[in-house]
Amino acid sequence: MKDTRIVKGVKLVKQYGATRALNAVDIDVKAGEIYGLVGNNGAGKTTFLKILTGQTMADAGEVSLFGYTGESEKNRARKRIGALIESPGFYHKMTAEQNLEYYRIQRGIPGKDMVPRALEEVGLLEQRKKKFDKLSFGMKQRLGLALALMGDPELLVLDEPINGLDPAGIIEIRNLLLRLNQEKNITIVISSHVLAELEHIATCYGFLHHGRLLEQISAEDLKAKCRSYLEVQVSDRERYTALLESKLHCRDYRVMPDGAIQILDESIFAEDCGRLAAQHEIAITSLAEKKIELENYYMRLVEEAN
Ligand code: ATP
């Protein structure tokens, strides 16, 4: 079977003096994914992205790009990557268009039409004659994306492109990334320190913390883990769980260390739990509908790792 992994990092290590920025990190990004790399400041996100773009080298471990592992092959493969890592040095007194043209020539990207195409892609064609310092913050971010898009990349590597944007700006960038992914089939690796920012677009997540990858999980699996559940406390736990199984045919439940019973079976409602207890003279001391929020899930992973 064809390997669909565009990026495969195996046991990547990066050390800066006494700081281990990446510690045996395994990351896989498959073709067509929007991979959300989530982590607090200093987690190692930028370091990983820079290894992808060749701006820095790993001290140990291996990264393959588009299936290539050799350094010269990887350098060629990097032409298929568009990146926005840290602020690109745009010239404030040059227009949006002039800035892109400057970088197009500097990077040896053929075709003058690349510039208007990239501007159009990010919705900045009308602003092309505006000087960079007259663009709004959101427009500046989009210009950075246009720069990354020149050369028709297959993989976009974006370091916190949503950081600092207002809610409308966040939605704009999100929609743009979704469109690039769905219509142009561009694979995207995007980092953020706020999980919720990536919630509506990521198809897979990698949670980094102090240089370690705590978990890599598909959006679908994460959603399943974050579903709602019922939490019940009863006077006779053993009898109640036996009744849950025999009378309500519930298999998907778990008993927590504090004695609470979490019922994950979505066909069972709070009324069913109450009725079951009443019919068998078991007292319910608490009954609540709960939901694991995405952000809480991540916070819990971090707490467990500390
Ligand atoms: P942020 O969101 O703050 O950018 P990050 O998750 O992108 O965080 P990195 O920038 O990869 O994290 O940094 C990981 C660790 O490595 C941090 O402790 C940082 O201080 C350190 N580090 C990064 N680059 C260098 C460098 N060039 N020299 C020394 N230390 C560095």
Side-chain angles (χ1 to χ4, degrees):
M1 208 173 89
K2 192 172 177 285
D3 192 344
T4 58
R5 280 174 296 203
I6 279 192
V7 174
K8 183 171 169 55
V10 182
K11 302 250 170 303
L12 290 173
V13 173
K14 179 72 189 180
Q15 189 84 25
Y16 290 114
T19 306
R20 185 152 283 210
L22 293 177
N23 195 351
V25 166
D26 294 334
I27 287 186
D28 291 326
V29 181
K30 296 192 196 76
E33 262 179 355
I34 299 184
Y35 190 105
L37 195 58
V38 181
N40 293 331
N41 292 337
K45 304 180 297 294
T46 308
T47 303
F48 174 71
L49 300 183
K50 282 185 172 172
I51 290 175
L52 299 187
T53 58
Q55 285 165 271
T56 195
M57 299 270 282
D59 296 316
E62 189 175 77
V63 68
S64 70
L65 295 172
F66 301 97
Y68 298 110
T69 49
E71 275 316 310
S72 57
E73 290 172 313
K74 275 197 291 195
N75 277 335
R76 268 199 304 277
R78 285 191 174 108
K79 296 217 179 331
R80 297 156 71 181
I81 301 178
L84 178 57
I85 298 180
E86 292 159 353
S87 272
F90 285 128
Y91 293 92
H92 287 225
K93 296 296 166 201
M94 273 164 48
T95 65
E97 182 174 55
Q98 287 167 338
N99 266 298
L100 288 193
E101 179 61 7
Y102 170 83
Y103 279 109
R104 185 186 73 79
I105 292 167
Q106 202 203 43
R107 292 179 185 178
I109 299 170
K112 212 174 160 59
D113 68 322
M114 268 297 169
V115 171
R117 265 175 51 203
L119 286 167
E120 171 136 52
E121 203 84 80
V122 302
L124 278 184
L125 198 55
E126 280 183 19
Q127 320 290 334
R128 66 188 184 282
K129 303 282 184 213
K130 261 197 183 163
K131 292 219 165 66
F132 179 76
D133 61 4
K134 295 282 182 291
L135 297 175
S136 70
F137 185 69
M139 287 175 190
K140 286 176 180 163
Q141 292 293 86
R142 280 192 277 150
L143 189 64
L145 268 175
L147 178 60
L149 284 169
M150 280 203 304
D152 292 328
E154 292 163 60
L155 170 65
L156 265 184
V157 172
L158 308 173
D159 194 13
E160 307 240 9
I162 289 172
N163 203 1
L165 289 174
D166 59 20
I170 292 176
I171 293 169
E172 245 173 50
I173 297 276
R174 261 194 211 143
N175 289 342
L176 172 59
L177 296 180
L178 272 178
R179 190 166 52 74
L180 291 169
N181 175 253
Q182 287 164 5
E183 290 175 13
K184 303 196 106 188
N185 204 22
I186 299 177
T187 306
I188 300 174
V189 181
I190 174 171
S191 75
S192 177
H193 58 279
V194 184
L195 174 56
E197 285 179 353
L198 304 180
E199 194 181 336
H200 301 286
I201 55 170
T203 54
C204 186
Y205 295 94
F207 297 115
L208 264 182
H209 184 60
H210 289 324
R212 282 189 179 278
L213 190 79
L214 301 181
E215 187 173 26
Q216 179 168 271
I217 185 168
S218 73
E220 210 177 312
D221 287 349
L222 183 61
K223 209 171 144 200
K225 284 191 177 184
C226 291
R227 65 193 165 169
S228 50
Y229 62 92
L230 293 167
E231 194 169 273
V232 203
Q233 294 261 18
V234 291
S235 55
D236 187 341
R237 197 174 55 242
E238 274 172 31
R239 204 152 66 86
Y240 191 76
T241 49
L243 287 165
L244 270 179
E245 289 192 31
S246 62
K247 301 287 179 197
L248 299 185
H249 310 293
C250 174
R251 296 272 175 275
D252 200 2
Y253 72 87
R254 58 187 176 212
V255 179
M256 304 311 287
D258 66 353
I261 304 163
Q262 291 188 350
I263 300 170
L264 301 142
D265 191 327
E266 284 171 354
S267 66
I268 296 174
F269 297 95
E271 304 83 74
D272 303 323
C273 296
R275 203 176 309 116
L276 184 70
Q279 281 165 353
H280 297 85
E281 293 178 357
I282 295 172
I284 285 194
T285 48
S286 76
L287 173 57
E289 195 169 329
K290 296 198 168 179
K291 189 171 182 345
I292 306 170
E293 298 294 339
L294 220 55
E295 207 64 41
N296 289 348
Y297 180 83
Y298 166 58
M299 293 310 291
R300 231 169 45 188
L301 271 185
V302 167
E303 274 164 25
E304 279 166 20
N306 282 336

